[in-house]
Amino acid sequence: MIPTALTVLLAALGVTGSPVEPRAADGLNTRAVAAGKQYFGSATDNPELSDTAYLAGLSNTADFGQITPGNSMKWDTIEPSRGTFSYTKGDVIADLAAKNGQLLRCHTLVWYNQLPSWVTNGGFDNSTLISILQNHITNEVTHYKGKCLHWDVVNEALNEDGTYRTNVFYTTIGPAYIPIAFAAAAAADPSAKLYYNDYNIEAAGSKSTAAQNIVKLVKAYGAKIDGVGMQAHLIVGSTGSESVSAWTANMNAFTALGVDVAITELDIRTTTPATAAAVTQQAKDYATVIGGCKAVTRCVGVTIWDYTDKYSWIPSTFSGQGAALPWDENLVKKTEVYNAILNAWGTGRHSTGTTPTATATATATKTTTTAAPATSSAASGTVPKWGQCGGNGWTGPTQCEAGSTCTKANDYYSQCL
């Protein structure tokens, strides 16, 4: 090997051996990887990619080692009319990930929402809709073959009580549409990891149990399923699982079935404008979620649902709610929240700039726990401050702890303030 100028200089100084590799910059992804995870990532969408300051932040691989397309791989974009496929928008994000050296989570193949009317109103019989489903999945997964670390194959197939959600696939095909979808995806790209993805399965309960039963269903059909995505669209002070041990216990119920878990769409919303106390609680909540994933070996990574409030979906869906992400609407890092996430991953990078040893990293990858969920005040019938206390479909407690009042934000959400 021809010596470089650096090795010649080192030799002249009496230093032998290979030069030390430059250390990676510290950041959320750097820390996650040091803790034994595959990535810390962010969702994105095509419109915001024209924002150069936003794009620079998204492309910072110290913070984001993976990106997920929020909308550009959904059915209405990919196959707007039967047999006509459009990959332009999805390709933009796939190409960006490749350019940046980031992993790609592909989202999502089968969802009851954002379906074109030709699917929902086509009046297809069982065999025809199965063929349509298989054809859509085969075409899309084949197009992105070798590019997707994960595929969210089926998204949000469950109601809050754990029953199957009524949609065109369930009504026409029955629950078998789920393993049929997984089998088609596995055939099109055997190397991609295949996930079932849903919200409100972060805590033990009927919906979490039903999601575990979906894993069993797919396996019973002989189809491949590799993981379960916990979306984790959460509320400040009421994260579903209020302690690290509760998060890990619920995750372990899934991993015991032989699958990985991932936190796939994390954000933690609050009433806006956010108070200083809410931000402090939000920082603690983010740390709890990260701590849960860190403690479970088969929790492979965390994705926030875009990294900045500027492009968050929440304000348009939950009136008076938002401020859910680690960067604000001006793309300014929220130091308290950011540092809480950073430090929850552990000291992968110290203030001196040192990196963890191989032994420390290996130890981190083997850490797991089976601790039982902690009992929260909400479980006993009283909602802690910042917790949800009402809203359409809310079946939990409505009495706030002393010093806070159940305050209506909108028809869907009331919070103890």
Side-chain angles (χ1 to χ4, degrees):
M1 182 176 68
I2 299 174
T4 64
L6 177 59
T7 56
V8 171
L9 177 60
L10 291 172
L13 294 172
V15 179
T16 59
S18 300
V20 176
E21 291 294 324
R23 296 188 180 100
D26 197 11
L28 304 181
N29 181 61
T30 307
R31 293 280 184 103
V33 172
K37 305 307 172 184
Q38 294 179 358
Y39 59 80
F40 185 93
S42 174
T44 191
D45 211 351
N46 297 75
E48 54 256 40
L49 296 179
S50 61
D51 181 337
T52 55
Y54 165 87
L55 181 60
L58 179 69
S59 300
N60 176 13
T61 55
D63 281 326
F64 307 117
Q66 172 264 117
I67 54 178
T68 300
N71 290 290
S72 59
M73 292 185 180
K74 291 175 179 173
W75 197 313
D76 60 348
T77 299
I78 296 295
E79 192 181 4
S81 59
R82 187 174 180 180
T84 301
F85 293 84
S86 176
Y87 294 108
T88 303
K89 291 182 178 180
D91 287 352
V92 168
I93 295 177
D95 291 346
L96 176 65
K99 176 184 176 183
N100 291 340
Q102 294 166 312
L103 301 170
L104 183 69
R105 288 197 85 254
C106 294
H107 172 84
T108 176
L109 294 169
V110 185
W111 188 31
Y112 74 93
N113 207 346
Q114 291 181 238
L115 280 173
S117 60
W118 72 265
V119 178
T120 54
N121 300 323
F124 302 112
D125 61 20
N126 179 289
S127 61
T128 304
L129 189 57
I130 288 175
S131 177
I132 288 169
L133 180 70
Q134 291 172 324
N135 185 63
H136 176 83
I137 293 170
T138 299
N139 273 272
E140 183 168 4
V141 176
T142 299
H143 179 83
Y144 290 108
K145 184 176 183 179
K147 298 181 179 181
C148 302
L149 176 70
H150 300 163
W151 262 112
D152 287 333
V153 178
V154 176
N155 195 51
E156 299 176 5
L158 297 170
N159 295 313
E160 290 305 289
D161 63 358
T163 58
Y164 285 109
R165 185 189 295 273
T166 299
N167 60 50
V168 65
F169 303 110
Y170 181 76
T171 301
T172 308
I173 303 170
Y177 85 88
I178 298 174
I180 289 170
F182 275 89
D189 187 356
S191 66
K193 300 293 185 181
L194 307 182
Y195 276 65
Y196 173 73
N197 192 54
D198 214 329
Y199 62 93
N200 288 352
I201 61 171
E202 300 84 17
S206 57
K207 194 171 185 181
S208 178
T209 298
Q212 293 161 37
N213 288 336
I214 284 179
V215 174
K216 296 174 184 177
L217 173 72
V218 174
K219 291 192 170 191
Y221 271 76
K224 172 188 172 185
I225 181 168
D226 300 292
V228 173
M230 301 176 176
Q231 292 182 14
H233 294 298
L234 307 174
I235 302 165
V236 166
S238 180
T239 59
S241 291
E242 309 304 330
S243 66
V244 170
S245 62
W247 275 91
T248 57
N250 188 55
M251 287 181 176
N252 284 331
F254 286 93
T255 62
L257 301 176
V259 295
D260 295 332
V261 292
I263 297 171
T264 55
E265 304 183 17
L266 176 62
D267 47 35
I268 308 180
R269 67 184 185 268
T270 188
T271 302
T272 52
T275 64
V279 173
T280 296
Q281 181 63 48
Q282 183 182 56
K284 293 177 182 177
D285 292 341
Y286 267 108
T288 297
V289 177
I290 299 303
C293 181
K294 180 185 176 184
V296 176
T297 302
R298 295 195 69 167
C299 180
V300 300
V302 175
T303 307
I304 49 178
W305 206 240
D306 224 319
Y307 72 91
T308 165
D309 295 336
K310 185 175 183 178
Y311 298 113
S312 174
W313 68 287
I314 290 171
S316 64
T317 304
F318 298 96
S319 178
Q321 300 288 298
L325 295 160
W327 279 257
D328 69 16
E329 292 181 350
N330 297 312
L331 302 178
V332 175
K333 188 183 297 179
K334 301 175 187 176
T335 304
E336 188 172 6
V337 175
Y338 181 93
N339 286 344
I341 300 171
L342 193 73
N343 294 328
W345 283 125
T347 53
R349 294 269 296 177
H350 303 285
S351 58
T352 57
T354 58
T355 55
T357 64
T359 301
T361 302
T363 301
T365 66
K366 294 178 181 178
T367 303
T368 189
T369 180
T370 55
T375 302
S376 68
S377 57
S380 62
T382 302
V383 183
K385 190 174 183 180
W386 312 117
Q388 184 173 3
C389 54
N392 286 352
W394 174 250
T395 58
T398 58
Q399 179 65 43
C400 296
E401 68 179 8
S404 59
T405 303
C406 190
T407 304
K408 180 178 178 180
N410 54 53
D411 290 341
Y412 300 96
Y413 175 63
S414 296
Q415 184 177 26
C416 291
L417 300 174

